[in-house]
Amino acid sequence: MSILDVAFVKGFVRMCQDGWEQGWHERNGGNLSYRMKPEDVKAVKGFFTQVGDWQEIGTSVPGLCGEYFMVTGSGKYFRNVAADTADSTCILEVDETGERYRICWGLVNGGRPTSELPSHLMNHEVKKAVSGGKHRVIYHAHPANIIALSFVLPLKDEVFTRELWEMMTECPVVFPQGVGVVKWMVPGGREIAVATSELMKKYDVAVWAHHGMFCSGEDFDLTFGLMHTVEKSAEILVKTLSIRPEKLQTILPQDFRDLAEEFHVTLEERFLYEKH
Ligand code: 2HA
Ligand code: ZN
């Protein structure tokens, strides 16, 4: 049996391929991480034959002490994950202080985990806590339509949420908490990680202005589906604005309230403001 036959590894690889096929991962764009279950660790531990040295994460994630993650590699291409998984991804372990990690498997030709490791791990730490341990997947991609919107919509959670909800009836059911927006910041560091993880306390989606999106979810299907839904809604908005900037008709605040009741979701009133 190969490590590539293990279910979570297959799910990880398939998600990378799906993201590539959507066009969200030009060159080395985007990154994916999965917080492994105890049974996942057990299933692959036999493959940890060359464990690396401890390295600094660049931030502190005490809530993730001793956890294992599968992550994409820095500078690696999503396009290549299925073809050469051991070259472009790795499994890493977080130490008992939450400040360091070591590579247990993968990146066989050298390299480091994703340049966005601080954001991934800080998001995992927040999501593990607020979801009672359910959320395991953090996904960063560069979908064109949500990036386009970050040039023409005010960078406000309320505006992005409302505009995306209006574009497709299922949106408020798929992301009832809405989406958060991070203003343009230098990627890769602790500052953008702190800003994103702050938003992840209340949202499962964070838009990075002029850059892309972060999504969090319980498993690969839900997290990919969330990215897909938000980006499709953004695409419809881009099309709508391109055809005719003013809508002739749309879903109204009271329609959202009716939908919320029928579908048993809570939609915060701050998103249902009156427009003129
Ligand atoms: O290149 O997407 O944000 C990887 C990235 C950095
Ligand atoms: Zn990016």
Side-chain angles (χ1 to χ4, degrees):
M1 170 139 166
S2 154
I3 191 168
L4 304 178
D5 297 321
V6 176
F8 82 88
V9 177
K10 279 189 176 162
F12 187 101
V13 170
R14 180 175 169 218
M15 183 149 161
C16 290
Q17 186 63 25
D18 287 345
W20 159 249
E21 286 167 9
Q22 288 295 328
W24 299 338
H25 301 284
E26 75 295 335
R27 203 172 178 279
N28 61 319
N31 24 75
L32 174 63
S33 64
Y34 168 71
R35 185 169 60 83
M36 290 160 59
K37 298 177 182 170
E39 59 264 36
D40 297 326
V41 180
K42 223 162 134 192
V44 297
K45 230 172 176 165
F47 298 97
F48 297 172
T49 48
Q50 278 197 313
V51 175
D53 298 329
W54 291 109
Q55 323 249 357
E56 299 296 325
I57 294 169
T59 189
S60 181
V61 285
L64 300 176
C65 291
E67 295 259 20
Y68 289 81
F69 295 85
M70 182 164 185
V71 307
T72 49
S74 177
K76 301 294 184 180
Y77 292 25
F78 268 54
R79 178 171 168 253
N80 294 335
V81 169
D84 197 351
T85 309
D87 170 75
S88 48
T89 71
C90 70
I91 291 174
L92 62 84
E93 178 188 5
V94 174
D95 77 354
E96 289 307 322
T97 66
E99 312 233 324
R100 298 185 307 163
Y101 72 91
R102 64 181 175 187
I103 294 172
C104 300
W105 177 87
L107 290 172
V108 292
N109 299 306
R112 300 166 56 80
T114 166
S115 59
E116 303 293 357
L117 191 65
S119 278
H120 277 260
L121 293 183
M122 289 186 80
N123 289 343
H124 274 294
E125 188 180 41
V126 164
K127 282 309 201 184
K128 182 185 169 186
V130 300
S131 73
K134 283 193 180 141
H135 277 220
R136 294 191 171 274
V137 181
I138 299 288
Y139 183 32
H140 170 56
H142 296 171
N145 292 288
I146 200 82
I147 297 172
L149 290 178
S150 74
F151 294 93
V152 298
L153 291 184
L155 299 178
K156 289 191 160 48
D157 303 0
E158 287 78 9
V159 175
F160 265 74
T161 299
R162 174 66 176 279
E163 292 304 317
L164 292 169
W165 280 359
E166 279 189 40
M167 288 303 109
M168 222 164 42
T169 296
E170 301 258 308
C171 284
V173 181
V174 176
F175 49 101
Q177 302 96 334
V179 307
V181 185
V182 180
K183 68 175 171 54
W184 187 87
M185 292 172 91
V186 175
R190 201 183 115 79
E191 198 193 349
I192 196 166
V194 170
T196 311
S197 63
E198 199 53 42
L199 290 177
M200 284 290 175
K201 288 178 185 167
K202 42 184 180 184
Y203 305 114
D204 292 341
V205 183
V207 174
W208 279 9
H210 324 326
H211 183 146
M213 212 184 334
F214 262 85
C215 289
S216 172
E218 295 182 19
D219 59 27
F220 297 121
D221 281 348
L222 285 165
T223 314
F224 187 85
L226 180 57
M227 182 77 71
H228 203 186
T229 305
V230 174
E231 172 58 6
K232 181 163 182 190
S233 182
E235 182 182 349
I236 299 168
L237 184 51
V238 167
K239 287 186 200 296
T240 305
L241 292 169
S242 311
I243 304 166
R244 183 193 157 107
E246 277 89 43
K247 298 165 198 154
L248 269 188
Q249 54 274 320
T250 187
I251 306 170
L252 297 167
Q254 191 52 46
D255 298 330
F256 285 117
R257 293 183 193 107
D258 295 344
L259 187 77
E261 198 175 312
E262 195 60 32
F263 282 82
H264 308 293
V265 291
T266 305
L267 304 178
E268 282 181 50
E269 280 293 320
R270 70 187 162 107
F271 299 123
L272 303 180
Y273 50 86
E274 288 302 327
K275 293 189 200 173
H276 302 286

